[in-house]
Amino acid sequence: MRTEAAERAELLFSLFDANGNGVLDSEDFDLMTGRVLQAAVASDDGAKEALRASFRRWWTTLATELDANGDGVISVEEFRPFVLDPERFGPTVEEFARALSALGDPDGDGLIERPLFVSLMTAIGFAEAKIHALFDAFGPDADDRVTVATWASGIKDDYAPDLAGIPGDQLVAVRAV
């Protein structure tokens, strides 16, 4: 696993720990779902339900695949080595990428405007300056929009253990050069 991928995994764990108790549990995914759906006011019910289902699948997959000691929570030690495993998490990540990027396109034109992108990513817990850096890395058009496909692909890339130099690296701490 590349250093960049490990850093992305650490950040994801901290964001998924929505209740801040140091482990991942089902409550975290309920809290995260609520925050993101609150930011997606213009999205239709189908898109909202798809996001709810994707977060439920995240928790179910984590609990099934990673809860090695059966205590109902996922520690960072359980999470770190396995979450970037495409064999285990590829379908879960694919569903999540489709659902989240679709929320960013409530008018169905295939484009995501920066303000909604920022709102959704802020609801997840990313820092605003990092969100803007990510959006810029996606190469927005002259009207400051990116395609749904670009964002969905970027989400999937975040979970790839062998990728570095990707837009998602904008979300992790800057390393000294």
Side-chain angles (χ1 to χ4, degrees), residues 103-170:
L103 279 183
D105 183 25
D107 61 5
D109 66 355
L111 298 167
I112 300 167
E113 289 79 18
R114 186 184 297 257
L116 183 52
F117 181 87
V118 170
S119 292
L120 293 170
M121 295 292 282
T122 300
I124 292 171
F126 292 104
E128 188 169 342
K130 303 256 184 210
I131 297 167
H132 286 287
L134 174 63
F135 194 84
D136 291 340
F138 284 149
D141 67 14
D143 293 323
D144 210 24
R145 304 171 302 182
V146 298
T147 67
V148 169
T150 296
W151 192 17
S153 178
I155 293 168
K156 290 183 280 187
D157 286 350
D158 284 346
Y159 294 90
D162 56 345
L163 293 181
I166 62 170
D169 289 340
Q170 299 298 315

Side-chain angles (χ1 to χ4, degrees), residues 10-177:
E10 293 289 329
L11 175 62
L12 293 169
F13 184 89
S14 71
L15 296 173
F16 282 155
D17 183 15
N19 63 14
N21 67 354
V23 295
L24 303 183
D25 54 44
S26 62
E27 179 187 0
D28 290 315
F29 290 85
D30 294 339
L31 290 169
M32 180 74 69
T33 300
R35 290 192 327 226
V36 173
L37 291 179
Q38 189 172 23
V41 294
S43 296
D44 65 34
D45 290 341
K48 290 177 181 178
E49 183 51 40
L51 184 80
R52 261 188 219 93
S54 76
F55 273 124
R56 277 193 303 270
R57 182 171 181 171
W58 256 113
W59 172 246
T60 300
T61 301
L62 289 173
T64 302
E65 294 286 327
L66 303 185
D67 189 8
N69 62 6
D71 64 356
V73 299
I74 307 301
S75 68
V76 70
E77 292 79 18
E78 290 170 316
F79 182 85
R80 190 183 298 122
F82 298 107
V83 76
L84 299 178
D85 183 343
E87 298 263 333
R88 288 179 146 173
F89 289 98
T92 300
V93 170
E94 176 75 31
E95 179 181 344
F96 177 70
R98 274 194 318 269
L100 183 59
S101 60
L103 279 183
D105 183 25
D107 61 5
D109 66 355
L111 298 167
I112 300 167
E113 289 79 18
R114 186 184 297 257
L116 183 52
F117 181 87
V118 170
S119 292
L120 293 170
M121 295 292 282
T122 300
I124 292 171
F126 292 104
E128 188 169 342
K130 303 256 184 210
I131 297 167
H132 286 287
L134 174 63
F135 194 84
D136 291 340
F138 284 149
D141 67 14
D143 293 323
D144 210 24
R145 304 171 302 182
V146 298
T147 67
V148 169
T150 296
W151 192 17
S153 178
I155 293 168
K156 290 183 280 187
D157 286 350
D158 284 346
Y159 294 90
D162 56 345
L163 293 181
I166 62 170
D169 289 340
Q170 299 298 315
L171 296 171
V172 294
V174 176
R175 290 179 302 283
V177 181

